Amino acid sequence: MTQFNSLNVNDQAVDDPVPNTRVDIPGFGYVIVNEQHLAAPNSREKTAANALRIVITLSNTLGLPVGTQIVVGHAASLLFPVPDDSVLVDPDSWWIQ
């Protein structure tokens, strides 16, 4: 669960935002606050969360290219089965039998 204390976006208070709250940023694009991507039940897809994801959709005074995405506070998790007779080597190699 993502929590914010006194978060303001474009002079708009964003207190206790529901997941995937979108706030427009004039002259730049928008920000998604408390972004959550939840895997379907019994799926092997990862679950991920971003505290803030800023998306640049307009030419702007800072010169940030359109299409730029800035993520602040990212977390991800993945659950996968490991056979009983396997030895886990490292999180990136799954397992060795």
Side-chain angles (χ1 to χ4, degrees), residues 17-23 31-38 48-51 53:
V18 297
N20 303 314
T21 298
R22 178 182 164 140
V23 179
V31 61
I32 303 295
V33 182
N34 191 17
E35 183 176 37
Q36 298 180 13
H37 297 278
L38 303 177
N50 297 319
R53 182 169 61 94

Side-chain angles (χ1 to χ4, degrees), residues 62-75:
L62 295 179
L64 295 169
V66 171
T68 297
Q69 296 189 30
I70 302 165
V71 174
V72 178
H74 175 78

Side-chain angles (χ1 to χ4, degrees), residues 85-97:
D85 60 348
S86 299
V87 176
L88 188 61
V89 175
D90 72 56
D92 294 324
S93 68
W94 293 86
W95 62 78
I96 294 179
Q97 294 191 21

Side-chain angles (χ1 to χ4, degrees), residues 7-84:
L7 176 66
N8 283 296
V9 177
N10 194 35
D11 288 329
Q12 177 181 343
V14 184
D15 295 323
D16 196 24
V18 297
N20 303 314
T21 298
R22 178 182 164 140
V23 179
D24 289 331
I25 305 173
F28 288 91
Y30 61 91
V31 61
I32 303 295
V33 182
N34 191 17
E35 183 176 37
Q36 298 180 13
H37 297 278
L38 303 177
N42 300 318
S43 138
R44 287 191 174 185
E45 294 180 16
K46 70 179 178 180
T47 295
N50 297 319
L52 302 171
R53 182 169 61 94
I54 303 161
V55 181
I56 305 301
T57 60
L58 302 168
S59 295
N60 56 79
T61 57
L62 295 179
L64 295 169
V66 171
T68 297
Q69 296 189 30
I70 302 165
V71 174
V72 178
H74 175 78
S77 65
L78 177 66
L79 178 65
F80 58 91
V82 178
D84 291 338

